[in-house]
Amino acid sequence: MNRKALFFDIDGTLFSEIERQVPQSAVLALKKTRQCGNLVFINTGRTVCQTAGIQMEVESDGLLCGCGTYITTGNEVIYDRRIPAERTARLKEDIVRFGLDGVLEGVEGCYFQRGESRMPMVNRLMELLKEGNAYVPLGWEDNSYDISKFCVAADRESRKMEFFATIEDEFEIIDRGSGFYECVPLGHSKATAVEAVLGRFGIAKEDAWVFGDSMNDLSMFQYSLNSVLMGKHDSGLEPYAVFTTKTVEEDGIAYALEKLGMLGKDD
C-alpha cells in the first residue's frame, strides 16, 4: 500500500469546540497511522501562533497554517507569505472607516482594537486567543507588524460591501456565517497548501486524504480526490465527500481511520 498523506482541519475536526480538546482516541489514531508509514499534517485557517496547544496534543509531520499562507514540514518553514505592515495599516483604517471590527492574524500573534468591541463575537474570539497565548496587546494604532490574513465582523451599522469592494482584488472573502468573514490573500488556500506538501514529498494526489467540517475547508475538498466529512458539518461540503464519519465527540477521526484501513492490519 502506498504511503498516504492525511490533512486535518483543527476546529470541529480534530478539536472539539464543545470539550475544548482533541479526543484521546484521535491522538492515538494519528500516532498509529504515522507508525504505519502515513504522514499527518495539520491544515488550518488558524495562523501558526494559534496552534501551540494542538502541537502539544498531536504528533504531526507538518503545519499548514493561515489558509496556506504558512507551511512547515518537520522543523523547516517552507513557505511564509505575509501582508506587509504598510498594507496592514491601511486595512485597519478601512475596517474602522466602514464600521467593521475583527482580528488581524499574524505568525507572531493576533491583534485586536483596544477596549471592548460592540460585536460580541469579536470579544469572544479575543478571550479565546488570550487563553491560547496568541493575543498580542499592541492594538491597531501600532503599525509595526505584518500579518498573514484577517477576519472581520459586521453588524447592521457596518458598510461591509463597501469595505469588501476595497479588498476584492487582493483577498478571497470567505463567509463563515453570522456576519463573520475570513479574508485570505488571493492564490492561497488549504488546497494550495496540500498541493505544495504533496509536491514536497512526491506523493500522488490519489494518496492524499483531507478531513474537515466547515466551508473554509471547501477548497481542499474540491481539490482532493479523497475527502472525509465530519458528522457535524456544513452541507456545502457534502457533494465532495467520499466518506462521512462521526462527530469529533463521537471519536470521528479514529472511526474514519479505522474504517478506511489506515491503522494497520490489527484495526
Side-chain angles (χ1 to χ4, degrees), residues 54-111:
I54 294 295
Q55 291 185 58
M56 292 177 62
E57 293 188 78
V58 174
E59 296 178 6
S60 73
D61 296 285
L63 302 169
L64 292 61
C65 298
C67 293
T69 58
Y70 184 91
I71 304 172
T72 71
T73 58
N75 295 318
E76 182 183 359
V77 178
I78 65 169
Y79 188 77
D80 183 3
R81 197 283 192 189
R82 305 196 190 192
I83 303 165
E86 297 81 5
R87 181 66 182 106
T88 300
R90 296 197 305 274
L91 286 169
K92 288 183 284 190
E93 291 174 0
D94 287 340
I95 292 169
V96 172
R97 178 161 61 99
F98 291 110
L100 295 92
D101 200 357
V103 55
L104 309 175
E105 301 170 83
V107 170
E108 288 80 17
C110 295
Y111 311 90

Short mmCIF file of all heavy atoms in Angstrom, two decimals, residues 54-111:
data_model
loop_
_atom_site.label_atom_id
_atom_site.label_comp_id
_atom_site.label_asym_id
_atom_site.label_seq_id
_atom_site.Cartn_x
_atom_site.Cartn_y
_atom_site.Cartn_z
N ILE A 54 -2.49 22.60 19.98
CA ILE A 54 -2.64 21.43 19.11
C ILE A 54 -1.30 20.72 18.93
O ILE A 54 -1.22 19.49 18.94
CB ILE A 54 -3.22 21.84 17.75
CG1 ILE A 54 -4.65 22.34 17.90
CG2 ILE A 54 -3.16 20.68 16.75
CD1 ILE A 54 -5.63 21.30 18.37
N GLN A 55 -0.22 21.50 18.79
CA GLN A 55 1.09 20.89 18.63
C GLN A 55 1.48 20.07 19.85
O GLN A 55 2.19 19.06 19.73
CB GLN A 55 2.14 21.96 18.36
CG GLN A 55 2.00 22.65 17.02
CD GLN A 55 3.13 23.62 16.75
OE1 GLN A 55 4.30 23.25 16.75
NE2 GLN A 55 2.79 24.89 16.54
N MET A 56 1.02 20.49 21.02
CA MET A 56 1.32 19.75 22.24
C MET A 56 0.51 18.45 22.32
O MET A 56 0.96 17.46 22.89
CB MET A 56 1.04 20.62 23.46
CG MET A 56 1.98 21.79 23.63
SD MET A 56 1.55 22.83 25.04
CE MET A 56 1.74 21.67 26.39
N GLU A 57 -0.69 18.46 21.74
CA GLU A 57 -1.58 17.30 21.83
C GLU A 57 -1.36 16.28 20.73
O GLU A 57 -1.54 15.08 20.95
CB GLU A 57 -3.04 17.76 21.80
CG GLU A 57 -3.49 18.55 23.02
CD GLU A 57 -5.00 18.79 23.00
OE1 GLU A 57 -5.74 17.85 23.35
OE2 GLU A 57 -5.42 19.90 22.63
N VAL A 58 -1.00 16.75 19.53
CA VAL A 58 -0.99 15.89 18.35
C VAL A 58 0.39 15.85 17.72
O VAL A 58 1.00 16.90 17.47
CB VAL A 58 -2.02 16.40 17.31
CG1 VAL A 58 -1.92 15.61 16.03
CG2 VAL A 58 -3.43 16.34 17.88
N GLU A 59 0.89 14.65 17.44
CA GLU A 59 2.14 14.50 16.70
C GLU A 59 1.84 14.61 15.21
O GLU A 59 0.90 14.00 14.71
CB GLU A 59 2.76 13.13 17.00
CG GLU A 59 3.17 12.93 18.44
CD GLU A 59 3.73 11.54 18.69
OE1 GLU A 59 3.91 10.78 17.71
OE2 GLU A 59 3.99 11.21 19.86
N SER A 60 2.62 15.43 14.51
CA SER A 60 2.37 15.61 13.07
C SER A 60 3.68 15.73 12.32
O SER A 60 4.76 15.86 12.91
CB SER A 60 1.50 16.85 12.83
OG SER A 60 2.26 18.03 13.02
N ASP A 61 3.56 15.71 10.99
CA ASP A 61 4.73 15.85 10.12
C ASP A 61 4.85 17.26 9.55
O ASP A 61 5.80 17.55 8.82
CB ASP A 61 4.63 14.83 8.98
CG ASP A 61 4.69 13.40 9.51
OD1 ASP A 61 5.77 12.96 9.89
OD2 ASP A 61 3.62 12.76 9.57
N GLY A 62 3.89 18.12 9.88
CA GLY A 62 3.97 19.49 9.40
C GLY A 62 2.71 20.27 9.69
O GLY A 62 1.66 19.71 10.02
N LEU A 63 2.84 21.58 9.56
CA LEU A 63 1.74 22.51 9.81
C LEU A 63 1.47 23.34 8.57
O LEU A 63 2.38 23.94 8.00
CB LEU A 63 2.09 23.45 10.97
CG LEU A 63 2.43 22.81 12.32
CD1 LEU A 63 3.00 23.86 13.26
CD2 LEU A 63 1.19 22.17 12.93
N LEU A 64 0.20 23.37 8.15
CA LEU A 64 -0.23 24.20 7.03
C LEU A 64 -1.19 25.22 7.64
O LEU A 64 -2.33 24.88 7.97
CB LEU A 64 -0.92 23.35 5.96
CG LEU A 64 -0.09 22.35 5.15
CD1 LEU A 64 0.57 21.28 6.01
CD2 LEU A 64 -0.96 21.66 4.10
N CYS A 65 -0.75 26.43 7.80
CA CYS A 65 -1.47 27.40 8.63
C CYS A 65 -1.94 28.61 7.83
O CYS A 65 -1.42 28.91 6.75
CB CYS A 65 -0.58 27.87 9.78
SG CYS A 65 -0.07 26.56 10.91
N GLY A 66 -2.93 29.31 8.41
CA GLY A 66 -3.40 30.55 7.82
C GLY A 66 -3.93 30.38 6.41
O GLY A 66 -3.71 31.23 5.55
N CYS A 67 -4.66 29.28 6.16
CA CYS A 67 -5.20 29.00 4.82
C CYS A 67 -4.11 29.03 3.75
O CYS A 67 -4.23 29.70 2.72
CB CYS A 67 -6.31 29.98 4.48
SG CYS A 67 -7.79 29.80 5.49
N GLY A 68 -3.03 28.31 4.02
CA GLY A 68 -1.97 28.15 3.03
C GLY A 68 -0.94 29.26 2.99
O GLY A 68 -0.06 29.24 2.12
N THR A 69 -0.97 30.19 3.94
CA THR A 69 -0.01 31.29 3.93
C THR A 69 1.29 30.97 4.65
O THR A 69 2.28 31.70 4.52
CB THR A 69 -0.62 32.56 4.55
OG1 THR A 69 -1.03 32.28 5.89
CG2 THR A 69 -1.80 33.05 3.73
N TYR A 70 1.29 29.86 5.42
CA TYR A 70 2.48 29.50 6.19
C TYR A 70 2.54 27.99 6.29
O TYR A 70 1.58 27.35 6.73
CB TYR A 70 2.38 30.11 7.59
CG TYR A 70 3.59 29.91 8.48
CD1 TYR A 70 4.63 30.84 8.50
CD2 TYR A 70 3.67 28.81 9.33
CE1 TYR A 70 5.72 30.68 9.35
CE2 TYR A 70 4.76 28.63 10.17
CZ TYR A 70 5.78 29.57 10.17
OH TYR A 70 6.86 29.40 11.01
N ILE A 71 3.66 27.39 5.83
CA ILE A 71 3.76 25.94 5.78
C ILE A 71 5.09 25.49 6.37
O ILE A 71 6.15 26.02 6.04
CB ILE A 71 3.66 25.42 4.33
CG1 ILE A 71 2.37 25.91 3.66
CG2 ILE A 71 3.75 23.90 4.28
CD1 ILE A 71 2.29 25.60 2.17
N THR A 72 5.02 24.49 7.26
CA THR A 72 6.23 23.86 7.76
C THR A 72 6.15 22.36 7.50
O THR A 72 5.08 21.77 7.47
CB THR A 72 6.41 24.07 9.28
OG1 THR A 72 5.43 23.29 10.00
CG2 THR A 72 6.27 25.52 9.66
N THR A 73 7.32 21.76 7.30
CA THR A 73 7.44 20.30 7.29
C THR A 73 8.58 19.98 8.23
O THR A 73 9.68 20.52 8.09
CB THR A 73 7.72 19.75 5.88
OG1 THR A 73 8.92 20.33 5.35
CG2 THR A 73 6.57 20.06 4.94
N GLY A 74 8.29 19.12 9.20
CA GLY A 74 9.27 18.91 10.24
C GLY A 74 9.52 20.21 10.97
O GLY A 74 8.58 20.91 11.37
N ASN A 75 10.77 20.59 11.09
CA ASN A 75 11.11 21.85 11.75
C ASN A 75 11.47 22.96 10.77
O ASN A 75 11.97 24.02 11.15
CB ASN A 75 12.30 21.63 12.71
CG ASN A 75 11.94 20.71 13.86
OD1 ASN A 75 10.86 20.82 14.43
ND2 ASN A 75 12.86 19.81 14.20
N GLU A 76 11.18 22.74 9.48
CA GLU A 76 11.56 23.70 8.45
C GLU A 76 10.35 24.47 7.92
O GLU A 76 9.32 23.89 7.58
CB GLU A 76 12.22 22.95 7.28
CG GLU A 76 12.69 23.87 6.17
CD GLU A 76 13.28 23.11 5.00
OE1 GLU A 76 13.34 21.86 5.05
OE2 GLU A 76 13.68 23.77 4.02
N VAL A 77 10.50 25.79 7.87
CA VAL A 77 9.47 26.63 7.25
C VAL A 77 9.73 26.63 5.75
O VAL A 77 10.79 27.07 5.29
CB VAL A 77 9.51 28.07 7.80
CG1 VAL A 77 8.47 28.93 7.09
CG2 VAL A 77 9.29 28.09 9.30
N ILE A 78 8.77 26.13 4.98
CA ILE A 78 8.98 26.05 3.53
C ILE A 78 8.20 27.13 2.78
O ILE A 78 8.43 27.33 1.59
CB ILE A 78 8.62 24.66 2.98
CG1 ILE A 78 7.13 24.35 3.12
CG2 ILE A 78 9.47 23.59 3.66
CD1 ILE A 78 6.68 23.11 2.36
N TYR A 79 7.28 27.82 3.47
CA TYR A 79 6.54 28.90 2.82
C TYR A 79 6.01 29.85 3.88
O TYR A 79 5.51 29.41 4.92
CB TYR A 79 5.37 28.35 1.99
CG TYR A 79 4.69 29.39 1.14
CD1 TYR A 79 5.27 29.84 -0.05
CD2 TYR A 79 3.49 29.95 1.51
CE1 TYR A 79 4.66 30.81 -0.84
CE2 TYR A 79 2.87 30.92 0.73
CZ TYR A 79 3.46 31.35 -0.45
OH TYR A 79 2.86 32.30 -1.21
N ASP A 80 6.15 31.15 3.63
CA ASP A 80 5.70 32.16 4.60
C ASP A 80 5.34 33.43 3.83
O ASP A 80 6.20 34.22 3.48
CB ASP A 80 6.81 32.43 5.61
CG ASP A 80 6.39 33.41 6.70
OD1 ASP A 80 5.23 33.84 6.71
OD2 ASP A 80 7.25 33.73 7.56
N ARG A 81 4.05 33.61 3.58
CA ARG A 81 3.57 34.77 2.82
C ARG A 81 2.89 35.73 3.79
O ARG A 81 1.96 35.35 4.49
CB ARG A 81 2.59 34.31 1.75
CG ARG A 81 2.32 35.32 0.63
CD ARG A 81 1.41 36.43 1.00
NE ARG A 81 0.97 37.20 -0.16
CZ ARG A 81 0.29 38.34 -0.09
NH1 ARG A 81 -0.01 38.86 1.10
NH2 ARG A 81 -0.08 38.97 -1.19
N ARG A 82 3.36 36.98 3.83
CA ARG A 82 2.82 37.94 4.78
C ARG A 82 2.31 39.20 4.08
O ARG A 82 2.80 39.59 3.02
CB ARG A 82 3.88 38.33 5.81
CG ARG A 82 4.48 37.13 6.53
CD ARG A 82 5.21 37.52 7.78
NE ARG A 82 5.98 36.41 8.31
CZ ARG A 82 6.53 36.40 9.51
NH1 ARG A 82 6.40 37.45 10.31
NH2 ARG A 82 7.23 35.35 9.93
N ILE A 83 1.33 39.83 4.70
CA ILE A 83 0.82 41.12 4.27
C ILE A 83 1.68 42.18 4.97
O ILE A 83 1.71 42.23 6.20
CB ILE A 83 -0.66 41.29 4.67
CG1 ILE A 83 -1.50 40.14 4.08
CG2 ILE A 83 -1.19 42.64 4.22
CD1 ILE A 83 -2.89 40.02 4.70
N PRO A 84 2.39 43.00 4.22
CA PRO A 84 3.33 43.95 4.85
C PRO A 84 2.65 44.91 5.82
O PRO A 84 1.44 45.17 5.72
CB PRO A 84 3.91 44.71 3.64
CG PRO A 84 3.66 43.84 2.46
CD PRO A 84 2.39 43.11 2.75
N ALA A 85 3.44 45.44 6.73
CA ALA A 85 2.91 46.34 7.76
C ALA A 85 2.21 47.55 7.15
O ALA A 85 1.18 48.02 7.67
CB ALA A 85 4.05 46.78 8.69
N GLU A 86 2.76 48.06 6.04
CA GLU A 86 2.15 49.24 5.42
C GLU A 86 0.75 48.94 4.90
O GLU A 86 -0.18 49.74 5.08
CB GLU A 86 3.03 49.74 4.26
CG GLU A 86 4.42 50.21 4.68
CD GLU A 86 5.40 49.07 4.88
OE1 GLU A 86 5.03 47.89 4.61
OE2 GLU A 86 6.54 49.34 5.32
N ARG A 87 0.58 47.78 4.27
CA ARG A 87 -0.76 47.41 3.78
C ARG A 87 -1.68 47.07 4.95
O ARG A 87 -2.88 47.38 4.92
CB ARG A 87 -0.64 46.20 2.83
CG ARG A 87 -2.00 45.75 2.26
CD ARG A 87 -2.58 46.82 1.35
NE ARG A 87 -3.89 46.48 0.82
CZ ARG A 87 -5.03 47.03 1.23
NH1 ARG A 87 -5.02 47.92 2.21
NH2 ARG A 87 -6.18 46.69 0.67
N THR A 88 -1.13 46.46 5.97
CA THR A 88 -1.92 46.15 7.17
C THR A 88 -2.47 47.42 7.80
O THR A 88 -3.63 47.46 8.23
CB THR A 88 -1.06 45.38 8.19
OG1 THR A 88 -0.61 44.14 7.60
CG2 THR A 88 -1.84 45.07 9.45
N ALA A 89 -1.67 48.47 7.82
CA ALA A 89 -2.13 49.74 8.40
C ALA A 89 -3.32 50.30 7.62
O ALA A 89 -4.29 50.79 8.22
CB ALA A 89 -0.97 50.75 8.40
N ARG A 90 -3.29 50.20 6.30
CA ARG A 90 -4.41 50.70 5.50
C ARG A 90 -5.66 49.84 5.70
O ARG A 90 -6.78 50.34 5.70
CB ARG A 90 -4.02 50.77 4.02
CG ARG A 90 -2.88 51.75 3.73
CD ARG A 90 -2.80 52.11 2.24
NE ARG A 90 -2.68 50.95 1.39
CZ ARG A 90 -1.51 50.36 1.08
NH1 ARG A 90 -0.39 50.83 1.60
NH2 ARG A 90 -1.49 49.31 0.28
N LEU A 91 -5.45 48.54 5.86
CA LEU A 91 -6.58 47.65 6.13
C LEU A 91 -7.28 48.05 7.43
O LEU A 91 -8.51 48.12 7.50
CB LEU A 91 -6.12 46.20 6.21
CG LEU A 91 -5.76 45.51 4.90
CD1 LEU A 91 -5.07 44.17 5.17
CD2 LEU A 91 -7.01 45.29 4.05
N LYS A 92 -6.50 48.32 8.44
CA LYS A 92 -7.07 48.72 9.73
C LYS A 92 -7.89 50.00 9.59
O LYS A 92 -9.01 50.09 10.13
CB LYS A 92 -5.96 48.90 10.76
CG LYS A 92 -5.32 47.60 11.21
CD LYS A 92 -4.27 47.81 12.30
CE LYS A 92 -2.98 48.36 11.76
NZ LYS A 92 -1.91 48.34 12.79
N GLU A 93 -7.35 50.95 8.87
CA GLU A 93 -8.07 52.21 8.67
C GLU A 93 -9.41 51.97 7.97
O GLU A 93 -10.44 52.55 8.37
CB GLU A 93 -7.21 53.16 7.82
CG GLU A 93 -5.97 53.68 8.53
CD GLU A 93 -5.08 54.50 7.61
OE1 GLU A 93 -5.44 54.65 6.42
OE2 GLU A 93 -4.03 54.97 8.08
N ASP A 94 -9.41 51.11 6.95
CA ASP A 94 -10.65 50.87 6.20
C ASP A 94 -11.66 50.04 7.00
O ASP A 94 -12.86 50.27 6.91
CB ASP A 94 -10.33 50.17 4.88
CG ASP A 94 -9.68 51.10 3.87
OD1 ASP A 94 -9.83 52.34 4.04
OD2 ASP A 94 -9.04 50.62 2.92
N ILE A 95 -11.18 49.10 7.77
CA ILE A 95 -12.09 48.32 8.62
C ILE A 95 -12.85 49.24 9.56
O ILE A 95 -14.07 49.15 9.72
CB ILE A 95 -11.32 47.23 9.40
CG1 ILE A 95 -10.79 46.16 8.45
CG2 ILE A 95 -12.21 46.58 10.47
CD1 ILE A 95 -9.80 45.19 9.09
N VAL A 96 -12.12 50.15 10.18
CA VAL A 96 -12.74 51.11 11.11
C VAL A 96 -13.64 52.08 10.34
O VAL A 96 -14.78 52.36 10.77
CB VAL A 96 -11.66 51.86 11.88
CG1 VAL A 96 -12.28 53.00 12.71
CG2 VAL A 96 -10.88 50.91 12.79
N ARG A 97 -13.18 52.56 9.20
CA ARG A 97 -13.93 53.57 8.43
C ARG A 97 -15.29 53.04 7.99
O ARG A 97 -16.28 53.79 7.97
CB ARG A 97 -13.10 54.00 7.21
CG ARG A 97 -13.78 55.01 6.30
CD ARG A 97 -12.75 55.71 5.43
NE ARG A 97 -12.04 54.79 4.56
CZ ARG A 97 -12.33 54.60 3.27
NH1 ARG A 97 -13.35 55.25 2.72
NH2 ARG A 97 -11.62 53.77 2.54
N PHE A 98 -15.35 51.74 7.67
CA PHE A 98 -16.60 51.17 7.19
C PHE A 98 -17.41 50.48 8.30
O PHE A 98 -18.36 49.76 8.02
CB PHE A 98 -16.33 50.20 6.04
CG PHE A 98 -15.86 50.89 4.79
CD1 PHE A 98 -14.56 50.75 4.35
CD2 PHE A 98 -16.72 51.71 4.06
CE1 PHE A 98 -14.11 51.39 3.19
CE2 PHE A 98 -16.30 52.35 2.91
CZ PHE A 98 -14.99 52.20 2.47
N GLY A 99 -17.01 50.71 9.53
CA GLY A 99 -17.83 50.26 10.66
C GLY A 99 -17.77 48.78 10.96
O GLY A 99 -18.73 48.22 11.51
N LEU A 100 -16.66 48.13 10.62
CA LEU A 100 -16.48 46.73 10.97
C LEU A 100 -15.50 46.62 12.14
O LEU A 100 -14.95 47.61 12.60
CB LEU A 100 -15.96 45.93 9.77
CG LEU A 100 -16.89 45.81 8.56
CD1 LEU A 100 -16.65 46.93 7.56
CD2 LEU A 100 -16.74 44.45 7.88
N ASP A 101 -15.30 45.41 12.60
CA ASP A 101 -14.29 45.12 13.60
C ASP A 101 -13.72 43.75 13.26
O ASP A 101 -14.18 43.10 12.31
CB ASP A 101 -14.87 45.15 15.01
CG ASP A 101 -13.79 45.34 16.09
OD1 ASP A 101 -12.60 45.38 15.74
OD2 ASP A 101 -14.16 45.45 17.27
N GLY A 102 -12.71 43.30 14.00
CA GLY A 102 -12.18 41.99 13.69
C GLY A 102 -10.86 41.72 14.34
O GLY A 102 -10.49 42.34 15.34
N VAL A 103 -10.13 40.76 13.76
CA VAL A 103 -8.84 40.35 14.28
C VAL A 103 -7.86 40.23 13.11
O VAL A 103 -8.20 39.73 12.04
CB VAL A 103 -8.93 39.02 15.04
CG1 VAL A 103 -9.56 37.92 14.19
CG2 VAL A 103 -7.57 38.58 15.56
N LEU A 104 -6.65 40.73 13.32
CA LEU A 104 -5.57 40.61 12.36
C LEU A 104 -4.67 39.47 12.83
O LEU A 104 -4.16 39.50 13.95
CB LEU A 104 -4.78 41.93 12.29
CG LEU A 104 -5.63 43.19 12.09
CD1 LEU A 104 -4.75 44.43 12.16
CD2 LEU A 104 -6.37 43.13 10.76
N GLU A 105 -4.49 38.47 11.95
CA GLU A 105 -3.82 37.24 12.36
C GLU A 105 -2.43 37.14 11.74
O GLU A 105 -2.30 37.09 10.51
CB GLU A 105 -4.65 36.04 11.96
CG GLU A 105 -6.05 36.04 12.57
CD GLU A 105 -6.93 34.97 11.97
OE1 GLU A 105 -6.84 33.81 12.42
OE2 GLU A 105 -7.69 35.29 11.02
N GLY A 106 -1.41 37.09 12.58
CA GLY A 106 -0.05 37.01 12.09
C GLY A 106 0.66 35.76 12.55
O GLY A 106 0.11 34.93 13.27
N VAL A 107 1.90 35.62 12.15
CA VAL A 107 2.72 34.49 12.55
C VAL A 107 3.09 34.60 14.03
O VAL A 107 3.04 33.63 14.78
CB VAL A 107 4.00 34.40 11.69
CG1 VAL A 107 4.99 33.39 12.24
CG2 VAL A 107 3.62 34.05 10.25
N GLU A 108 3.44 35.81 14.46
CA GLU A 108 3.86 36.00 15.84
C GLU A 108 2.72 36.20 16.82
O GLU A 108 2.87 35.98 18.02
CB GLU A 108 4.80 37.22 15.94
CG GLU A 108 6.18 37.01 15.35
CD GLU A 108 6.19 37.17 13.82
OE1 GLU A 108 5.23 37.74 13.27
OE2 GLU A 108 7.17 36.69 13.21
N GLY A 109 1.56 36.65 16.34
CA GLY A 109 0.43 36.87 17.23
C GLY A 109 -0.77 37.42 16.50
O GLY A 109 -0.76 37.63 15.28
N CYS A 110 -1.85 37.64 17.28
CA CYS A 110 -3.10 38.16 16.74
C CYS A 110 -3.42 39.50 17.41
O CYS A 110 -3.18 39.67 18.62
CB CYS A 110 -4.24 37.17 16.98
SG CYS A 110 -4.01 35.61 16.10
N TYR A 111 -3.98 40.43 16.65
CA TYR A 111 -4.09 41.81 17.07
C TYR A 111 -5.53 42.30 16.98
O TYR A 111 -6.19 42.14 15.96
CB TYR A 111 -3.18 42.69 16.20
CG TYR A 111 -1.78 42.14 16.08
CD1 TYR A 111 -1.44 41.25 15.05
CD2 TYR A 111 -0.79 42.48 16.99
CE1 TYR A 111 -0.17 40.72 14.93
CE2 TYR A 111 0.50 41.96 16.89
CZ TYR A 111 0.80 41.08 15.86
OH TYR A 111 2.07 40.56 15.75
#
